[in-house]
Amino acid sequence: MKIVSFNRVKKSLLLLTFLVTPFLIMAQTGKIKLSGKVLDETNKPLPGATVLIKNTNSSTITDFDGTFNLMVSDKKNVLVISYMGYKPKEVETSGKEFLEIKLQQESNTLSDVVVIGYGQVKSKDLTGSISTIKLTDLSKQPVANVGDAIQGRAAGVQVITSGKPGDNPTFRIRGTGTIGNNDPLIVVDGMPLTGGLNQINMNDVESMQILKDASSTAIYGARGANGVVIISTKRGSVGKSSLTFDFSTGVSEATDMLEVLNASQFASLHNDILNNAGLTPNPDFQNPASLGKGTDWVNAYFNTGHQNNYTLAYTTGNEKSKVYTSVNVFDQKGIILNTDYKRYVLQFNSDTKISDNLKFGNSLKLNHDVKTQGDVNIGNALLSLPTQPIYRDNGNFSGPIGQPLYSGNQDNPIGKATIVDNTTKGYNIQGNIFSELTFLKNFKFKTILGAEANFWKTRTWVPSYAWDTNIGPNAFLSESSNQAITLLWDNTLTFQKKFDNGINLTAVVGTSAQENKFEYISGSIQKFASENTQTLNNGINQATLHGSGSEWAIFSTFARGNFDYKNKYYLTATVRRDGSSRFGQGNKYGTFPSGSLAWRVSNEDFFKSKVVNYLKLRFGYGITGNQEIGNYSFSSNYNTYLYNFNGAFVSAAIPTVLPNSNVKWEAQEQYNIGLDATLFDDRINVTLDAYVKNTNDMLVPQSVPVTSGYSDIYVPYINAGKIQNKGIELVINTKNIKKDKFSWTTDFVFSMNRNKVIDLNGDAPLITGGLGLNYNVSRIQEGYPINVFYGFVQDGIFQTQTEVNNHAVQVQGTSSSNSTSPGDIRFKDLNNDGLITDADRTFIGNPNPNFTASLNNTITYGNLSLSVYLQGVNGNDIFNANRLYTESMSITTNQSAAVLNRWTAPGTSNTIPRAVYGDPNNNNRGSSRYIEDGSYMRIKNVTLSYNIPVNLLSKKIFDYAKIYVSGQNLFTFTKYTGFDPEVSSNGIDNNIYPVTRTLSLGLNVGF
């Protein structure tokens, strides 16, 4: 018999015990390890999804690649998986040790959390009119700020963009509600933003909510009349730490170039201009064809722009602490010579959980930007003579040579754009810290301290120059700096409870205090002993100094209650009371109430429909205010003057503006009725709203007689106007095809608004749309939309002298060079008095669109995704003021190619008049000649992206990667003859920097 040693037996027993013990422990505790992965419909991992064992408190959260691990009691369990924006899913384990679980996205996002003023609610529980925009996909667009990205994507929100680097977009929410400031309140991470949207890195933005009706904006009281834009930036999340890098590079160009005359065409035109005025033509232009094409100033002035955008972001978090931080660099070269913009942004957001009841956090944004431009004057580039070179043979910039009648007197636009240095540097800080305490189970107290500091410094330097006969003998330097400091302290107490009888109640009370101080100083001087010493103290001529300062403060109390009964009947009531320093003693405080009701019809027992899955009706009413009227409207303004008293100069402060101590808020009441519905198993989501918005007590200029001793030009404003906006908004989201590897979704947005001035403190209209001395083309008048165009009506072209003689007298004279003649514009005699005078002017156009619309289609196949976005405006008119100069044919400047179709003999043209020096008939007066249809439909964005499969790589370098190509403003279909139909909100195109077409390539990588 073989004998085994005791030591060997001991070692074997120890090894057996080590191997068996874990299984014995699991057998005793009943624990089995279960792993899995949570994915979306496109097989993309969902980090941060909650995995819960049903009917237990045992749960976990998926890590960055969507995986999870759980210890379960036995092989048969039910897991409940949930993730915001996706339908919860229950999965039976059925003895499996690894599960791959796919979640379906909520088609109508009813479970999404919507940020509202001082709180948040689920989308399905909303009673007001709010547009929610997620910027996850929009961040791939080649634009500088979030305003450009959301254009057309929110119903009732008109966004007007500009191609100029560093410019901010213009927002109009549900029409123009006042003749004053119409800009909405922008709130970023709980703090109102006084700077522009270009301070924000679009990659940092998580979501944007636009509050449109009074029931949702009344919580902001005196600042909610023009709507509220709430921006939430990204925050850290629990799970695996991640590092992401976004990069895009692109090139830009004007969407449509304006064609002007070449040298031979201009020479022929110039000969006509002088001959028709009885003047001697330029001897150098005897043979126009011999001059060829000459100088193309427009193409030299415009160039191909480019831009680069870099964002490096890091996020990490656990149950106690979460952090999100990013660095962004944006570098843009404009399409016009020497127009550049650079931006640097640092974002740092953190959340720290001290205990189950107490947490702290912060949001911090540091921004530095630099805007550089020369002398931006598109008009000069259009009007410069093609017969003049850009440079002389010695390399100097050229100027006109000879008498102005022949060579004109235009500055060299390339020279001006090159030598002028106009730079603005901004240093901006916006941040807050907050603390949140939960107590007595249902109460939560939150306090937030915020500050925003904006510092800008602008420097303009123009050296002396001598370009032939165009001479600037003295160098010029101007420097200015200003600062705006805003402080905020908000406190809110929230009570939230679900009662057993089906009542859900959320109540918020709070206070808000905000203060702003602004200071400005500037100085300028001319002529320098040496232009190498470009400082104000080295100037020779008398310096000019300016300085000013202002401040305002507002203190508010507010309350809101959200009530619902059995998820069927909803009530929201809000009241805010504001006290503002911008008003006099009797009107410092205003109260702004609102209320809204909603009925979720689809939750009623009687509602049984196989077509309609969800149906909610909404109604709201409220009053909001507008305090953006300037800081000291209730008091008189004083100017300091020097006057001679007994041979000595004495200073005196003289009041220039009559005070109005009764000035108060512009109050806006709004009615809103809405409908939310989903159809065909959540395949179609519909939101429909109709509203009436009345601006009462609108501030309008007061008539001040000269005999009062006060200025009749700089006048006080009184509350005596009324404007009404009413409209319809429709949003339709559809899931056309939804397969495992293929999907197709469509988003349609439609908005229609009608604007009307109801009252204006009397019959006298307000004259607007100024284009120079005593040249105005718009007015605000009772019974009409705001800023309608006003002028003469063109009625064709006089073809013969008989037609001139038989028409009302326009301009009398002795010859065709000083009176109305064949080839001139015929204007309608509207009052039939036989004379064409200012009394024959009338309303000739409306800059407000009939409707705006957009259509977005997104098609996904496997790892490929294609998005095509169309956006358009219909029914608005544009006053093309550029044509006042490029089609005048009355002085020595170049003209647009349109004048090739000018009148030269009877029957040659009935739209464009003759060319004649001095324009004796005043063909160039403000008239319907310059009114054009501003409607357009634009392929706003096309983006093709590809998710690079990580598992195809031989070695895993990153967790995910996406490459994409994107085109912005690719094609525009319009009848408008200018650079681009997207002009200013008043509808006047006057030397506006055009919107650009941009093609970009981007990469998004996560580690």
Side-chain angles (χ1 to χ4, degrees):
M1 175 182 288
K2 189 174 182 180
I3 299 175
V4 181
S5 69
F6 177 75
N7 288 333
R8 291 181 62 187
V9 171
K10 182 172 68 174
K11 289 180 180 179
S12 298
L13 289 173
L14 288 173
L15 179 59
L16 182 62
T17 302
F18 177 77
L19 294 173
V20 172
T21 296
F23 295 96
L24 292 174
I25 293 173
M26 289 180 65
Q28 289 176 352
T29 60
K31 297 296 183 181
I32 301 173
K33 184 179 180 181
L34 176 66
S35 302
K37 195 168 189 177
V38 180
L39 308 170
D40 67 6
E41 297 162 297
T42 62
N43 294 319
K44 182 179 178 181
L46 293 176
T50 300
V51 182
L52 171 71
I53 302 176
K54 191 173 182 180
N55 299 323
T56 73
N57 293 323
S58 180
S59 65
T60 188
I61 295 175
T62 59
D63 59 19
F64 190 76
D65 58 359
T67 61
F68 67 90
N69 293 293
L70 267 176
M71 301 302 294
V72 297
S73 57
D74 53 51
K75 294 184 177 181
K76 292 186 177 181
N77 286 280
V78 177
L79 301 182
V80 180
I81 300 93
S82 59
Y83 189 77
M84 182 177 294
Y86 289 77
K87 294 179 179 180
K89 188 173 186 178
E90 293 188 3
V91 177
E92 293 185 1
T93 59
S94 302
K96 297 179 181 178
E97 295 182 358
F98 184 86
L99 298 170
E100 184 175 280
I101 304 165
K102 288 187 178 181
L103 297 185
Q104 284 189 339
Q105 194 170 9
E106 288 276 4
S107 61
N108 52 21
T109 65
L110 295 178
S111 63
D112 282 1
V113 174
V114 177
V115 178
I116 58 177
Y118 307 100
Q120 56 187 27
V121 297
K122 287 188 175 182
S123 179
K124 64 183 177 62
D125 297 330
L126 280 175
T127 59
S129 180
I130 299 178
S131 291
T132 299
I133 301 172
K134 291 186 177 181
L135 297 180
T136 305
D137 297 324
L138 302 189
S139 62
K140 305 301 180 288
Q141 294 186 26
V143 294
N145 61 63
V146 294
D148 294 345
I150 69 167
Q151 186 179 33
R153 297 183 184 269
V157 182
Q158 184 182 13
V159 181
I160 301 172
T161 63
S162 168
K164 188 175 183 180
D167 264 15
N168 283 297
T170 299
F171 282 81
R172 290 293 179 267
I173 299 178
R174 292 190 165 180
T176 301
T178 175
I179 64 172
N181 191 317
N182 281 276
D183 296 333
L185 175 68
I186 299 176
V187 180
V188 181
D189 291 330
M191 182 167 180
L193 179 71
T194 58
L197 281 175
N198 57 13
Q199 296 182 12
I200 302 173
N201 172 25
M202 194 163 67
N203 284 301
D204 290 334
V205 178
E206 180 71 27
S207 67
M208 176 185 292
Q209 274 78 34
I210 302 178
L211 316 185
K212 298 181 295 186
D213 70 330
S215 68
S216 57
T217 62
I219 193 71
Y220 290 101
R223 293 179 292 177
N226 297 324
V228 181
V229 178
I230 299 179
I231 295 175
S232 302
T233 58
K234 296 176 181 177
R235 310 197 73 82
S237 58
V238 176
K240 178 183 174 182
S241 299
S242 66
L243 183 70
T244 60
F245 177 68
D246 285 274
F247 165 72
S248 67
T249 183
V251 294
S252 304
E253 62 180 6
T255 57
D256 191 16
M257 294 297 291
L258 190 64
E259 186 180 354
V260 294
L261 302 178
N262 62 33
S264 61
Q265 291 168 338
F266 168 75
S268 178
L269 168 69
H270 194 255
N271 290 339
D272 282 355
I273 291 175
L274 298 186
N275 281 325
N276 291 337
L279 301 173
T280 303
N282 188 341
D284 295 335
F285 294 168
Q286 290 182 1
N287 183 11
S290 65
L291 299 177
K293 292 186 177 181
T295 302
D296 190 343
W297 290 93
V298 176
N299 280 330
Y301 194 68
F302 286 84
N303 52 61
T304 299
H306 66 269
Q307 63 186 44
N308 294 311
N309 195 8
Y310 311 84
T311 298
L312 183 66
Y314 174 74
T315 181
T316 186
N318 52 46
E319 292 185 359
K320 290 292 185 180
S321 178
K322 295 180 290 184
V323 171
Y324 171 84
T325 184
S326 72
V327 178
N328 170 251
V329 178
F330 181 79
D331 187 1
Q332 182 180 15
K333 304 291 183 182
I335 62 172
I336 290 180
L337 186 65
N338 200 16
T339 55
D340 307 325
Y341 176 62
K342 292 183 179 179
R343 181 188 66 202
Y344 310 88
V345 181
L346 171 66
Q347 184 79 38
F348 179 77
N349 297 341
S350 70
D351 299 273
T352 301
K353 189 175 181 181
I354 304 300
S355 67
D356 290 340
N357 298 327
L358 180 63
K359 69 176 182 179
F360 293 89
N362 83 279
S363 299
L364 175 65
K365 172 172 56 64
L366 305 179
N367 168 283
H368 170 52
D369 58 8
V370 181
K371 299 178 186 177
T372 303
Q373 66 178 43
D375 181 70
V376 178
N377 194 320
I378 298 174
N380 279 350
L382 297 174
L383 300 176
S384 293
L385 302 188
T387 54
Q388 176 186 323
I390 298 176
Y391 300 97
R392 295 300 179 190
D393 292 339
N394 60 5
N396 292 336
F397 289 110
S398 71
I401 297 178
Q403 57 176 310
L405 181 66
Y406 290 159
S407 60
N409 59 0
Q410 288 292 123
D411 286 341
N412 187 317
I414 306 299
K416 277 297 192 72
T418 302
I419 69 169
V420 174
D421 178 16
N422 190 342
T423 301
T424 299
K425 296 181 179 180
Y427 303 87
N428 309 290
I429 303 171
Q430 189 195 43
N432 64 68
I433 56 175
F434 67 87
S435 172
E436 192 173 282
L437 175 66
T438 302
F439 62 97
L440 298 179
K441 188 178 180 181
N442 302 114
F443 290 89
K444 181 172 65 179
F445 175 75
K446 183 176 182 178
T447 184
I448 177 171
L449 291 170
E452 181 179 4
N454 300 303
F455 305 92
W456 300 278
K457 183 177 180 180
T458 299
R459 180 182 186 273
T460 301
W461 167 258
V462 184
S464 60
Y465 60 92
W467 303 333
D468 299 326
T469 59
N470 197 328
I471 297 174
N474 295 325
F476 172 80
L477 175 65
S478 172
E479 293 186 335
S480 65
S481 63
N482 54 44
Q483 66 178 34
I485 308 295
T486 305
L487 302 177
L488 173 78
W489 185 24
D490 282 356
N491 296 280
T492 57
L493 178 64
T494 303
F495 171 80
Q496 188 171 20
K497 184 176 177 60
K498 292 185 178 181
F499 295 92
D500 294 336
N501 59 2
I503 294 177
N504 298 322
L505 176 64
T506 301
V508 178
V509 295
T511 63
S512 178
Q514 191 172 357
E515 179 186 65
N516 174 275
K517 291 185 178 181
F518 173 81
E519 295 177 358
Y520 168 81
I521 187 170
S522 71
S524 63
I525 199 166
Q526 294 187 38
K527 195 175 182 180
F528 290 74
S530 171
E531 295 186 13
N532 293 322
T533 56
Q534 301 173 13
T535 57
L536 289 173
N537 64 324
N538 285 301
I540 296 175
N541 288 356
Q542 182 69 37
T544 300
L545 300 176
H546 297 282
S548 65
S550 64
E551 58 184 328
W552 60 266
I554 186 170
F555 178 77
S556 311
T557 57
F558 54 85
R560 180 182 59 220
N562 293 88
F563 168 94
D564 83 77
Y565 178 65
K566 291 186 177 181
N567 293 324
K568 296 180 183 179
Y569 315 108
Y570 296 84
L571 168 66
T572 299
T574 304
V575 63
R576 177 164 176 146
R577 183 165 176 80
D578 289 309
S580 174
S581 64
R582 288 178 168 171
F583 303 93
Q585 288 296 328
N587 294 297
K588 281 190 179 295
Y589 291 89
T591 302
F592 305 95
S594 76
S596 55
L597 301 169
W599 177 26
R600 198 188 296 185
V601 184
S602 54
N603 275 15
E604 295 286 358
D605 294 336
F606 64 78
F607 186 88
K608 300 189 184 298
S609 173
K610 294 182 179 180
V611 175
V612 181
N613 314 114
Y614 173 88
L615 177 62
K616 181 173 68 177
L617 304 178
R618 295 176 280 107
F619 173 78
Y621 169 82
I623 299 175
T624 52
N626 184 7
Q627 72 150 11
E628 302 303 321
I629 63 167
N631 287 332
Y632 307 107
S633 296
F634 61 89
S635 63
S636 179
N637 290 343
Y638 289 78
N639 284 337
T640 302
Y641 293 92
L642 291 176
Y643 66 96
N644 192 310
F645 182 74
N646 291 334
F649 285 101
V650 179
S651 62
I654 300 175
T656 56
V657 179
L658 184 70
N660 176 16
S661 59
N662 295 318
V663 66
K664 61 181 181 179
W665 322 89
E666 289 185 343
Q668 189 181 95
E669 64 172 356
Q670 188 174 169
Y671 301 85
N672 190 94
I673 184 170
L675 175 151
D676 304 312
T678 61
L679 314 172
F680 303 109
D681 296 326
D682 298 339
R683 296 285 295 272
I684 300 176
N685 183 25
V686 179
T687 299
L688 177 65
D689 280 278
Y691 62 88
V692 176
K693 185 170 71 170
N694 296 314
T695 301
N696 302 311
D697 298 323
M698 183 178 66
L699 290 168
V700 296
Q702 181 180 5
S703 299
V704 177
V706 179
T707 54
S708 67
Y710 289 92
S711 170
D712 62 342
I713 299 175
Y714 303 103
V715 298
Y717 279 72
I718 59 174
N719 300 93
K722 182 176 181 178
I723 287 180
Q724 182 181 82
N725 285 274
K726 53 185 179 180
I728 296 174
E729 301 165 356
L730 174 65
V731 178
I732 302 176
N733 311 110
T734 65
K735 286 193 172 184
N736 309 312
I737 299 176
K738 189 175 181 181
K739 304 291 185 180
D740 287 342
K741 292 187 177 181
F742 180 75
S743 66
W744 171 27
T745 62
T746 300
D747 304 304
F748 174 72
V749 177
F750 174 87
S751 306
M752 182 178 67
N753 181 80
R754 294 293 180 266
N755 174 277
K756 186 177 181 180
V757 178
I758 305 299
D759 189 11
L760 207 59
N761 188 33
D763 297 330
L766 297 179
I767 308 302
T768 60
L771 295 174
L773 184 63
N774 297 323
Y775 198 116
N776 298 82
V777 296
S778 306
R779 61 174 46 192
I780 302 172
Q781 184 165 325
E782 290 182 15
Y784 294 89
I786 197 167
N787 287 325
V788 287
F789 300 125
Y790 192 80
F792 295 91
V793 178
Q794 179 177 359
D795 189 26
I797 302 290
F798 290 116
Q799 302 296 325
T800 63
Q801 186 62 43
T802 301
E803 290 184 7
V804 174
N805 296 338
N806 292 335
H807 188 65
V809 177
Q810 296 189 169
V811 176
Q812 287 184 320
T814 58
S815 67
S816 62
S817 62
N818 60 20
S819 64
T820 302
S821 301
D824 285 328
I825 293 178
R826 179 173 55 231
F827 297 104
K828 285 189 176 182
D829 181 15
L830 298 181
N831 62 357
N832 296 315
D833 65 352
L835 298 173
I836 301 300
T837 65
D838 283 348
D840 293 301
R841 293 182 297 166
T842 187
F843 298 98
I844 55 177
N846 181 6
N848 303 284
N850 289 334
F851 67 84
T852 61
S854 68
L855 181 69
N856 185 68
N857 282 282
T858 302
I859 298 173
T860 302
Y861 178 73
N863 292 316
L864 275 173
S865 180
L866 174 66
S867 174
V868 180
Y869 179 52
L870 309 177
Q871 177 256 336
V873 175
N874 177 268
N876 61 306
D877 293 314
I878 296 176
F879 189 93
N880 191 347
N882 295 319
R883 291 173 54 199
L884 290 170
Y885 316 104
T886 61
E887 294 181 17
S888 68
M889 299 178 291
S890 60
I891 57 175
T892 307
T893 58
N894 199 17
Q895 304 285 275
S896 76
V899 304
L900 294 173
N901 298 318
R902 64 187 179 274
W903 188 94
T904 55
T908 55
S909 176
N910 201 40
T911 55
I912 298 180
R914 63 175 178 148
V916 55
Y917 192 85
D919 186 18
N921 186 56
N922 195 10
N923 291 320
N924 220 31
R925 70 185 78 184
S927 70
S928 59
R929 173 186 178 186
Y930 305 108
I931 299 297
E932 298 188 39
D933 184 2
S935 303
Y936 70 87
M937 193 278 286
R938 172 174 285 159
I939 302 179
K940 186 68 178 177
N941 181 266
V942 176
T943 299
L944 177 65
S945 62
Y946 178 68
N947 290 320
I948 302 174
V950 178
N951 55 5
L952 295 182
L953 302 176
S954 58
K955 184 178 180 181
K956 185 177 180 181
I957 304 174
F958 38 75
D959 290 327
Y960 68 89
K962 176 186 288 187
I963 189 171
Y964 60 90
V965 291
S966 183
Q968 190 81 358
N969 303 318
L970 289 177
F971 299 101
T972 302
F973 304 94
T974 183
K975 295 179 180 179
Y976 183 61
T977 62
F979 281 104
D980 191 272
E982 192 170 347
V983 300
S984 58
S985 58
N986 64 4
I988 298 175
D989 185 1
N990 186 25
N991 212 18
I992 292 176
Y993 200 114
V995 172
T996 62
R997 177 188 295 115
T998 304
L999 300 175
S1000 67
L1001 173 68
L1003 175 68
N1004 175 225
V1005 182
F1007 302 90

